[in-house]
Amino acid sequence: EPTETIGVILTIFCLSLSFTHVHYNVHITVDLQIHKTFNNRQNIVKITLSSLKTVQTMVFASSGGNATLPCRFWFEPELSLAREVRIKWSRTSAAGGPEDDVLVAIGNRSRSFGNFRGRVHLRQDSAGDAALIMTELQLNDTGRYRCEVVDGLEDRNSAVHLELRGVVFPYQHPRGRYHLSFVGAQQACEEQDATLATFTQLFQSWKEGLNWCNAGWLADGTVQYPITRPREPCGGHGLGPGVRTYGRRHQHMHRYDVFCFSSSLRGTVYFLQPSQKMNLTEARRTCQEDGAHIAKVGQLYAAWKFRSLDHCDAGWLADGSVRYPITRPRTNCGDSEPGVRSFGFPPPQHKHGVYCYKAEDQCSATSPLDVTKCH
């Protein structure tokens, strides 16, 4: 009797290894050969997804930009006549939980869902191309995307991870260290034009030199912190550099700081100080009178990271903190490393300058005399 050999690839990605508190995701690919017998040779048809051969593809992009998530399939043996299959894209967010539907398509007909409506479509450049085109990327688009191709009773699927490029920054409550629940941490990041950082984003920032001793929430509900220079209050000298982890904590009972993530800046941050320094109320009003808004912490970090904003004067921000960005460390401007310096949350009657933010549409309406504030 004729037989069909179907190649199945199982992806096991739940294994996590820890070396000096640095986590690595390990993916194991197992090839199985399953033999099925048919009485009719015409029943031998197989769908293959090429992206199964590149386990857990990673795609990087920036907020406000576009991304292409690859997915390709073909029939074996090749069909003499084309036929329509059902293609479905779904997503599991960086925080986990149930999958969200992104897009479903049959032939040239498609439908997108929820927050993805109007921002996603299939590329379909050639036969078997099921790549997902995403536009106007948002901070919370980060996650694991699953491409599923269904033909009758046969189906195959593969996964692609989308990560946004940006900057990770530690953030704490105005009352001080360790006052944020998981929900409070989410809200704190959103208020600063950011979102909860993923472990991948924190790990990348650690590799780039982020060194912070206070533990903070991440998007997956774990609490971790990055150390490049081991010291006594931060795990001791006996542990090497790495990302320390407390594991998963109770999202309502436990309190920590948070690591936020901000992507590309769609506007301009600039320092403003009239003839004299201002209290917080005066600082907000000064930005408004200049056709701008007082900058948020995430916007200041993004300007420092992506626009190389460098200013040694401390200024008010929207959350009531006072900070300043340094890309060229120098005398009287803080540490010897680049970064955003913080004076914490001083009383609102204290006098400082202010960092203002103008969005792209505000910049386009700016007079030629003010054009330097939009670059």
Side-chain angles (χ1 to χ4, degrees):
E1 293 180 325
T3 62
E4 176 194 12
T5 300
I6 301 178
V8 180
I9 296 180
L10 301 180
T11 303
I12 305 171
F13 57 93
C14 296
L15 179 61
S16 178
L17 304 182
S18 176
F19 301 98
T20 63
H21 296 267
V22 181
H23 286 63
Y24 302 88
N25 290 327
V26 179
H27 306 288
I28 302 172
T29 301
V30 182
D31 291 309
L32 302 179
Q33 295 297 321
I34 302 176
H35 299 273
K36 297 175 66 175
T37 301
F38 297 90
N39 292 324
N40 188 337
R41 185 77 181 175
Q42 293 178 348
N43 288 330
I44 303 176
V45 176
K46 178 174 67 172
I47 302 175
T48 302
L49 281 178
S50 63
S51 52
L52 278 174
K53 298 180 181 178
T54 54
V55 180
Q56 303 298 318
T57 301
M58 185 76 74
V59 173
F60 292 91
S62 297
S63 176
N66 302 333
T68 300
L69 308 187
C71 182
R72 182 171 292 279
F73 67 95
W74 64 84
F75 292 95
E76 294 181 0
E78 186 175 348
L79 299 177
S80 57
L81 295 176
R83 68 185 186 211
E84 293 182 343
V85 297
R86 181 176 184 267
I87 299 170
K88 178 181 179 182
W89 279 93
S90 56
R91 183 197 69 146
T92 302
S93 73
E99 282 189 335
D100 298 319
D101 291 338
V102 176
L103 176 143
V104 173
I106 300 178
N108 293 323
R109 306 182 305 277
S110 66
R111 178 183 177 187
S112 53
F113 300 90
N115 192 40
F116 298 100
R117 187 173 290 115
R119 297 195 297 123
V120 295
H121 64 274
L122 294 183
R123 185 171 58 186
Q124 295 182 311
D125 282 350
S126 57
D129 183 12
L132 183 71
I133 304 294
M134 303 184 65
T135 62
E136 300 177 11
L137 289 172
Q138 302 175 3
L139 284 174
N140 58 4
D141 284 341
T142 296
R144 177 181 181 271
Y145 289 76
R146 187 166 66 93
C147 173
E148 182 181 19
V149 178
V150 181
D151 177 55
L153 298 178
E154 293 288 331
D155 71 274
R156 295 291 185 272
N157 66 83
S158 65
V160 182
H161 282 277
L162 174 65
E163 288 283 354
L164 298 187
R165 298 185 186 277
V167 57
V168 172
F169 60 93
Y171 190 81
Q172 61 181 212
H173 193 278
R175 290 201 303 268
R177 183 172 179 259
Y178 294 174
H179 279 281
L180 296 170
S181 66
F182 180 76
V183 174
Q186 287 179 312
Q187 182 177 351
C189 290
E190 290 172 2
E191 289 174 350
Q192 299 312 314
D193 199 36
T195 188
L196 279 168
T198 66
F199 172 77
T200 301
Q201 292 162 348
L202 181 67
F203 184 71
Q204 179 61 34
S205 295
W206 168 76
K207 291 197 296 183
E208 295 172 358
L210 181 60
N211 182 73
W212 195 258
C213 196
N214 291 351
W217 291 104
L218 295 180
D220 61 359
T222 62
V223 174
Q224 311 194 37
Y225 64 99
I227 294 296
T228 59
R229 300 188 302 275
R231 50 202 185 275
E232 278 307 319
C234 308
H237 294 282
L239 290 176
V243 178
R244 319 273 196 240
T245 180
Y246 288 16
R248 292 187 180 275
R249 312 302 289 172
H250 195 288
Q251 296 188 1
H252 301 289
M253 294 177 55
H254 292 142
R255 298 287 190 274
Y256 295 95
D257 294 342
V258 62
F259 289 99
C260 300
F261 173 82
S262 181
S263 192
S264 61
L265 185 69
R266 307 191 73 176
T268 300
V269 175
Y270 59 96
F271 180 77
L272 185 61
Q273 181 178 304
S275 57
Q276 58 185 8
K277 296 181 179 181
M278 305 156 284
N279 61 35
L280 180 57
T281 300
E282 293 168 338
R284 295 182 191 277
R285 184 170 61 248
T286 298
C287 286
Q288 292 174 351
E289 291 173 350
D290 201 54
H293 300 281
I294 187 169
K296 299 179 179 180
V297 177
Q299 293 166 346
L300 183 67
Y301 268 93
W304 166 75
K305 177 75 171 181
F306 305 118
R307 307 284 177 84
S308 299
L309 183 63
D310 183 279
H311 204 92
C312 200
D313 292 314
W316 289 108
L317 294 178
D319 65 338
S321 65
V322 173
R323 308 172 194 251
Y324 64 99
I326 294 295
T327 57
R328 297 177 291 103
R330 52 201 182 272
T331 305
N332 299 325
C333 290
D335 298 336
S336 60
E337 299 291 331
V340 175
R341 322 287 195 228
S342 174
F343 284 85
F345 296 85
Q349 64 269 22
H350 280 201
K351 302 284 188 173
H352 299 281
V354 63
Y355 286 94
C356 302
Y357 171 76
K358 279 189 177 180
E360 289 179 348
D361 57 342
Q362 292 175 303
C363 282
S364 63
T366 300
S367 68
L369 295 177
D370 293 332
V371 71
T372 56
K373 297 175 182 177
C374 291
H375 293 280

